[in-house]
């Protein structure tokens, strides 16, 4: 089948393209990106006034399957991704059983394939059962399709284990995705520690809880020469250290979530458990620094940390509520509305942060619109205004602090391997 | 805004000064009732209230119950340890069950911040927060302010020092929010590990030295120190705490001559307050207890006495 996407603003940072062009797709691959393409037998998509981008990649999602299918499964998570404008998602191993061997990794990959919507790539655990004690079998997980290792959700507390993980993963060119948090400093904290934690009478989690472990992991990256990727970076201190590590030439990268870019700790005062997330929503000065670091390139990419939960996990006392935000179906609109539309983030840079950079970090064969590459394409309507309605989510997780928020700039078409999997926010069923 | 227009009393933070005045004014005649020989008025006959405390308390709960009884409301107390909480029932279901029994008002204490707010959103009963985590304890602050106003004749512009574990104290927070609305100069004093960040932004001055903090103050509110704080490592020992922060007679020389001493109770004599101070002529600690009943009567009256159609959120 041929697809001809006409007259869209093609934004392909890898090839230095940012202009109105036509794009031709055939047999699941990109054939041509040119000023004017005519093709009689092609299905024509009019993309006038829209941004035509490489397929967006979310390198940090929780699909919950196997084990927690009441929160999300690979099918519902894939549909959420497609509707949200993502063509590739990488899922964290904190499932039950944990993705700490080839069998579970293959199961996840296979389920993703059979769902047939977006590319699902598993991330293997750093340690067996994510228990923080013994390395998981990296080689067999790589063979089964894992693109990175991570104990996300849990920090690797033992320094010796983290050291060996960085050292060992280096052999395979794999990045270690680190959830940096000192659990003893976090203790039973519920929100960012600062003026608002005092004002709302909540136990605080200081920025230092994250920074202490970012410092350790950067030092270990220097020691080992391994590839460190800091997940969901959220503090000024962490950014400073990452910037310094990059200047030094260390293999250190990081990601930021849309919610840490868009929201501050002030909204926790509603005691709405949808505001509860790890790391916590930070104070305004951290948010300003995160936005600047993204614009400056200190932050490499944007990832959602999509963390869907069942109603009961959030409909309870704040302290007892689960951490996490269901992010796949709001990510693009949040970043468009809060950062791109306000002029704080360059459009091309936004596209890069969602496409080529995560592809580079994980070594994925996508993130660009070069002829011959898989036709993974995300089309965004910068003018579309919609109100976030969690009840309309494909994700089983309706937990979002963005509910009811009116946002401008939404994905309107998702194409994976040349097939339209979502249009106007709705999944196209076979 | 009139206080009666609120559905719930969750904190002092969101109250306006006029509402606080209204509550304190209403408590004045209530206190007279307590002093009568026959302590009963029929005002709340036919109204039902329940106390549900997920954290131990004797005086606050008793104070609420008695306040309800003086006003002829039917009062019940849900014993949490024997209730379905132990059986794994969700809080929402517990609240719904209570609501369906026909209660008009619920008084809740919970160790977790924001829980009364969560409950209030999920019930048509009116809710009074009797203390949530380290957040607010509005009725304690109201009775403290009542006690101060009664003794000093005003609240405006007074200097008030709050002494002790500010970090974990809902009494401290509610007092800070309330007194700030009257332009009081609020100071907090305690070990650095027990003073939370952001004090200055709240308009509160933090001190580590008791002597400095007490200079020229009109009121000293002494907080209870909990033994378990030492175990988590906030300070080395209760002995060292007492050496540095126990309020003794000599400290009072720093304060105004007519300084007034408050303590929300229960007291640890010889830890945060010496017996001479607790029992001295400056102490209003006993009066606070009576005032607590009066304040709670005022609130119950205002929240259950009004016609239903006046109620808005």
């Amino acid at each position: 089948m041929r697809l001809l996407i006409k007259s869209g603003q093609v934004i392909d940072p890898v090839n230095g393209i940012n202009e109105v062009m036509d794009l031709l797709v055939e047999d699941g691959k990109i054939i041509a990106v040119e000023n004017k393409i005519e093709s009689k037998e092609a299905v024509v998509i009019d993309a006038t006034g829209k941004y035509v981008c490489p397929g967006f990649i979310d390198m940090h999602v929780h699909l919950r399957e196997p084990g927690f299918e009441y929160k999300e499964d690979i099918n519902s998570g894939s549909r959420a991704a497609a509707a949200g404008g993502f063509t590739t998602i990488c899922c964290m191993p904190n499932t039950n059983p944990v993705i700490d061997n080839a069998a579970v990794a293959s199961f996840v990959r296979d389920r993703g394939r059979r769902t047939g919507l977006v590319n699902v790539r598993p991330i293997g655990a750093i340690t067996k059962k994510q228990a923080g004690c013994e390395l998981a079998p990296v080689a067999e997980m790589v063979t089964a399709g894992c693109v990175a290792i991570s104990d996300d959700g849990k920090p690797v507390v033992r320094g010796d284990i983290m050291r060996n993980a960085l050292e060992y993963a280096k052999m395979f060119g794999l990045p270690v995705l680190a959830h940096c948090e000192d659990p003893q400093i976090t203790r039973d904290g519920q929100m960012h520690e600062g003026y608002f934690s005092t004002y709302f009478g909540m136990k605080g989690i200081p920025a230092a809880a994250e920074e202490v472990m970012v410092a350790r992991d950067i030092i270990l990256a220097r020691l080992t020469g391994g590839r460190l990727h800091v997940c969901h970076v959220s503090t000024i201190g962490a950014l400073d250290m990452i910037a310094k590590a990059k200047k030094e030439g260390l293999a250190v990268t990081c990601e930021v979530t849309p919610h840490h870019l868009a929201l501050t700790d002030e909204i926790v005062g509603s005691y709405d458990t949808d505001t509860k997330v790890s790391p916590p929503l930070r104070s305004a000065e951290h948010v300003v620094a995160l936005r600047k670091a993204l614009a400056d390139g200190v932050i490499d990419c944007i990832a959602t940390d999509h963390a869907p939960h069942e109603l009961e996990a959030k409909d309870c006392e704040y302290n007892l509520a689960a951490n996490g935000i269901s992010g796949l179906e709001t990510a693009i609109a949040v970043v468009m509305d809060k950062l791109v539309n306000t002029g704080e983030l360059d459009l091309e840079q936004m596209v890069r942060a969602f496409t080529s950079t995560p592809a580079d970090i994980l070594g994925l064969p996508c993130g660009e619109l070069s002829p011959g590459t898989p036709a993974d394409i995300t089309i965004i309507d910068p003018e579309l205004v919609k109100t976030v309605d969690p009840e309309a989510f494909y994700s089983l997780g309706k937990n979002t602090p963005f509910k009811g928020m009116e946002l401008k700039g939404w994905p309107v078409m998702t194409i994976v391997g040349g097939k339209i999997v979502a249009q106007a926010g709705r999944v196209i069923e076979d | 805004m009139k206080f009666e227009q609120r559905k719930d009393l969750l904190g002092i933070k969101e109250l306006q000064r006029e509402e606080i005045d209204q509550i304190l004014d209403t408590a004045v005649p209530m206190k007279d009732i307590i002093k009568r020989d026959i302590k009963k008025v029929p005002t709340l006959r036919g109204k039902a209230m329940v106390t549900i405390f997920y954290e131990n308390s004797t005086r606050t709960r008793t104070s609420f119950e008695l306040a309800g009884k003086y006003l002829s409301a039917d009062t019940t107390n849900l014993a949490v340890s024997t209730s379905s909480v132990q059986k794994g029932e969700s809080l929402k279901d517990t609240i719904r069950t209570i609501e369906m029994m026909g209660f008009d008002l619920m008084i809740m204490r919970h160790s977790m911040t924001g829980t009364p707010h969560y409950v209030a959103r999920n019930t048509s009963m009116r809710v009074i927060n009797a203390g949530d985590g380290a957040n607010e304890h509005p009725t304690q602050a109201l009775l403290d302010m009542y006690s101060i106003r009664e003794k000093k004749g005003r609240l405006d512009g007074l200097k008030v020092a709050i002494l002790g574990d500010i970090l974990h104290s809902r009494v401290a927070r509610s007092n800070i929010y309330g007194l700030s609305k009257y332009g009081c100069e609020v100071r907090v004093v305690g070990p650095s590990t027990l003073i939370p960040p952001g004090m200055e932004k709240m308009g509160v001055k933090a001190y580590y030295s008791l002597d400095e903090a007490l200079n020229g103050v009109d009121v000293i509110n002494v907080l209870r120190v909990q033994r378990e704080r030492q175990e988590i490592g906030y300070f080395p020992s209760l002995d060292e705490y007492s050496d540095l922060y126990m309020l003794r007679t000599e400290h009072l020389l720093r304060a105004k001559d007519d300084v007034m001493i408050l303590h929300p109770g229960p007291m640890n004599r010889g830890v945060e307050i010496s017996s001479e101070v607790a029992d001295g002529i400056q102490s209003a600690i006993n009066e606070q207890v009576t005032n607590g009943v009066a304040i709670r009567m005022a609130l119950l009256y205002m929240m259950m006495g009004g016609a239903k159609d006046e109620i808005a959120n």
Side-chain angles (χ1 to χ4, degrees):
Chain A
M1 189 179 102
R2 280 185 167 200
L3 271 183
L4 177 57
I5 303 168
K6 281 202 79 79
S7 312
Q9 179 82 15
V10 175
I11 302 164
D12 180 14
V14 170
N15 292 303
I17 298 172
N18 185 356
E19 57 183 301
V20 176
M21 288 183 120
D22 294 349
L23 191 152
L24 185 66
V25 170
E26 191 175 348
D27 294 333
K29 295 221 177 332
I30 291 166
I31 300 298
V33 184
E34 284 161 24
N35 282 330
K36 210 130 201 99
I37 303 174
E38 298 299 338
S39 172
K40 279 192 190 116
E41 52 286 35
V43 176
V44 176
I45 297 159
D46 179 13
T48 310
K50 317 259 193 309
Y51 301 150
V52 178
C53 315
F56 277 33
I57 300 164
D58 188 348
M59 68 177 286
H60 188 152
V61 305
H62 296 271
L63 293 183
R64 308 298 193 201
E65 185 181 351
F68 306 102
E69 292 82 355
Y70 51 92
K71 292 179 187 288
E72 188 85 289
D73 57 33
I74 291 168
N75 184 47
S76 63
S78 297
R79 289 154 70 93
F86 291 96
T87 58
T88 297
I89 52 177
C90 305
C91 56
M92 285 294 177
N94 59 339
T95 48
N96 184 22
V98 168
I99 308 178
D100 62 359
N101 60 62
V104 186
S106 302
F107 166 81
V108 170
R109 190 118 201 251
D110 190 47
R111 291 282 297 194
R113 280 206 186 103
R114 269 196 272 172
T115 297
L117 285 170
V118 301
N119 303 304
V120 176
R121 302 300 299 262
I123 294 164
I126 296 173
T127 61
K128 288 177 188 153
K129 294 186 160 61
Q130 290 193 311
C133 299
E134 289 174 75
L135 289 186
V138 178
E140 72 168 54
M141 294 193 298
V142 169
T143 308
C146 287
V147 291
I149 54 172
S150 180
D151 273 1
D152 183 64
K154 286 182 184 169
V156 178
V157 173
R158 276 173 55 183
D160 58 337
I161 297 289
M162 191 61 179
R163 179 211 173 154
N164 288 340
L166 284 160
E167 195 94 63
Y168 196 76
K170 190 174 70 172
M171 285 200 295
F172 305 89
L174 277 197
V176 178
L177 318 184
H179 174 118
C180 293
E181 177 185 14
D182 181 326
Q184 282 165 326
I185 297 180
T186 296
R187 203 149 64 192
D188 53 351
Q190 301 293 322
M191 67 175 287
H192 174 64
E193 181 177 296
Y195 167 73
F196 283 113
S197 64
T198 300
Y199 189 60
F200 301 139
M202 290 258 218
K203 292 207 172 128
I205 303 169
E210 174 170 326
E211 291 159 2
V212 162
M213 203 167 274
V214 169
R216 182 200 73 177
D217 287 354
I218 287 175
I219 291 165
L220 292 174
R222 182 186 296 123
L223 173 69
T224 58
R227 293 181 56 199
L228 172 70
H229 176 85
V230 179
C231 293
H232 42 56
V233 66
S234 72
T235 79
I236 295 169
L239 291 171
D240 287 347
M241 290 185 278
I242 290 165
K244 209 164 145 265
K246 288 184 162 193
K247 222 173 244 168
E248 193 188 324
L250 302 181
V252 174
T253 54
C254 68
E255 75 198 19
V256 65
T257 70
H259 50 268
H260 287 111
L261 288 168
L263 304 171
T264 68
D265 57 348
E266 191 174 353
I267 66 163
V268 179
S270 62
Y271 303 113
D272 176 354
T273 55
D274 285 344
T275 63
K276 186 171 171 180
V277 64
S278 170
L281 298 176
R282 300 291 184 186
S283 57
E285 66 269 26
H286 291 286
V287 174
V288 169
L290 289 170
R291 291 179 177 199
K292 186 170 176 297
L294 181 60
D296 293 347
V298 170
I299 294 175
D300 299 272
C301 60
I302 304 171
T304 62
D305 192 6
H306 175 73
H309 286 292
E310 76 282 18
L311 178 68
E312 291 76 12
K314 288 287 194 180
D315 189 14
C316 60
E317 297 88 324
Y318 201 94
N319 289 40
L320 302 182
N323 279 310
I325 291 171
S326 179
L328 277 170
E329 287 165 88
T330 54
I332 293 178
V334 166
V335 175
M336 283 295 292
D337 188 90
K338 303 292 178 194
L339 280 91
V340 177
N341 293 353
T342 58
E344 273 183 85
L345 183 65
D346 180 67
L347 181 62
E348 275 183 50
Q349 216 162 345
M350 185 275 273
V351 173
R352 207 178 287 129
F354 268 121
T355 59
S356 54
T357 342
D360 284 347
I361 292 169
L362 301 174
L364 300 173
C366 51
E368 57 193 273
L369 296 174
S370 307
T373 60
D376 292 352
I377 299 163
T378 298
I379 303 179
I380 296 168
D381 182 349
E383 298 301 322
L384 182 62
V385 176
K386 274 201 295 188
T387 301
V388 177
D389 174 16
E391 294 313 312
F393 279 4
Y394 284 98
S395 171
L396 303 184
K398 313 299 180 193
N399 47 303
T400 173
F402 295 109
K403 55 183 173 273
M405 215 177 267
E406 195 182 82
L407 300 172
K408 185 176 168 188
W410 290 81
V412 289
M413 186 173 283
T414 312
I415 299 169
V416 178
K419 180 182 158 201
I420 300 171
V421 295
Q423 193 166 6
R426 306 316 292 167
V427 172
I428 306 293
E429 312 287 350
D430 273 329
Chain B
M1 177 158 193
K2 283 204 148 154
F3 178 73
E4 285 95 333
Q5 290 170 299
R6 290 184 187 274
K7 174 175 165 281
D8 311 298
L9 174 63
L10 299 174
I12 300 292
K13 203 180 286 162
E14 57 268 21
L15 295 185
Q16 287 164 15
R17 180 185 163 139
E18 294 67 36
E19 295 174 86
I20 297 174
D21 283 337
Q22 212 189 333
I23 297 164
L24 301 187
D25 291 346
T26 310
V28 175
M30 296 299 170
K31 192 168 176 181
D32 293 337
I33 296 172
I34 302 170
K35 292 187 170 154
R36 287 184 198 162
D37 186 31
I38 307 293
K39 297 184 248 308
K40 195 125 186 140
V41 291
T43 319
L44 296 182
R45 212 169 45 189
K47 301 287 180 181
M49 56 176 259
V50 58
T51 60
I52 174 163
F53 277 49
Y54 287 85
E55 215 181 50
N56 289 334
S57 153
T58 40
R59 64 191 64 207
T60 304
R61 189 205 288 255
T62 308
S63 176
F64 268 112
E65 280 195 56
L66 199 56
K69 289 191 160 116
Y70 286 165
L71 296 172
S72 303
D74 290 309
T75 70
T76 304
N77 122 52
L78 189 80
V80 171
S81 55
T82 57
S83 82
S84 39
V85 177
Q86 307 297 325
K87 298 169 194 158
E89 186 181 55
S90 79
L91 179 60
K92 206 170 174 179
D93 287 334
T94 306
I95 301 307
R96 188 156 300 151
T97 305
I98 292 169
E99 176 177 332
M100 294 318 285
M101 291 177 188
F103 288 103
D104 299 285
L105 182 139
M106 151 182 282
I107 293 140
M108 167 174 249
R109 171 170 289 188
H110 205 287
S111 60
M112 296 173 192
T113 293
T115 304
H117 306 68
Y118 167 71
V119 167
R121 277 200 298 273
N122 285 291
T123 177
S124 62
M125 283 183 287
R126 307 186 106 185
V127 177
I128 295 179
N129 178 3
D132 67 317
N135 185 32
E136 287 238 38
H137 189 349
T139 59
Q140 179 69 45
L142 288 167
L143 78 88
D144 290 348
M145 291 164 78
Y146 183 93
S147 305
I148 297 169
R149 195 180 80 164
E150 187 177 56
K151 186 100 169 261
K152 304 279 180 194
R154 69 188 162 100
L155 286 164
D156 289 272
L158 295 176
K159 290 188 171 74
V160 180
I162 304 173
L163 160 60
D165 178 358
I166 311 300
L167 179 64
H168 299 96
S169 177
R170 51 196 175 215
V171 176
R173 281 180 182 74
S174 286
N175 265 282
I176 290 168
Y177 305 140
L179 294 167
S180 302
K181 294 178 204 285
Y182 290 86
C184 293
E185 180 187 324
V186 184
R187 305 171 180 182
V188 294
V189 54
S192 50
T193 44
L194 293 176
I195 298 202
M199 282 291 125
E200 212 156 291
K201 197 168 166 188
M202 264 181 204
V204 173
K205 186 127 200 265
Y207 294 83
Y208 304 138
S209 152
L210 190 50
D211 279 335
E212 279 175 34
L214 299 186
N215 244 331
V217 296
D218 299 284
V219 180
I220 306 170
N221 200 340
V222 187
L223 303 175
R224 174 182 166 76
V225 169
Q226 291 179 322
R227 198 171 291 269
E228 56 265 30
R229 305 291 179 224
Q230 175 201 330
E231 286 150 21
I232 308 171
Y234 285 104
F235 52 85
S237 69
L238 283 180
D239 280 350
E240 182 154 316
Y241 184 89
S242 313
D243 284 348
L244 292 172
Y245 296 107
M246 181 166 72
L247 189 66
R248 298 182 185 81
T249 316
E250 65 260 33
H251 294 124
L252 304 187
L253 299 172
R254 296 265 175 177
K256 291 230 176 95
D257 292 340
D258 62 346
V259 67
M260 168 182 194
I261 312 299
L262 300 174
H263 191 300
M267 280 187 286
N268 296 305
R269 287 170 185 263
V271 179
E272 73 262 2
I273 190 167
S274 71
S275 279
E276 301 88 88
V277 173
D279 303 330
I281 50 161
Q282 321 276 43
S283 168
I285 297 171
N286 291 330
E287 199 65 22
Q288 275 178 280
V289 179
T290 312
N291 294 342
V293 179
I295 281 289
R296 289 167 183 129
M297 287 170 75
L299 288 167
L300 296 175
Y301 169 73
M302 294 167 90
M303 294 178 74
M304 285 194 288
K308 276 265 180 190
D309 55 14
E310 287 172 19
I311 297 168
N313 219 336

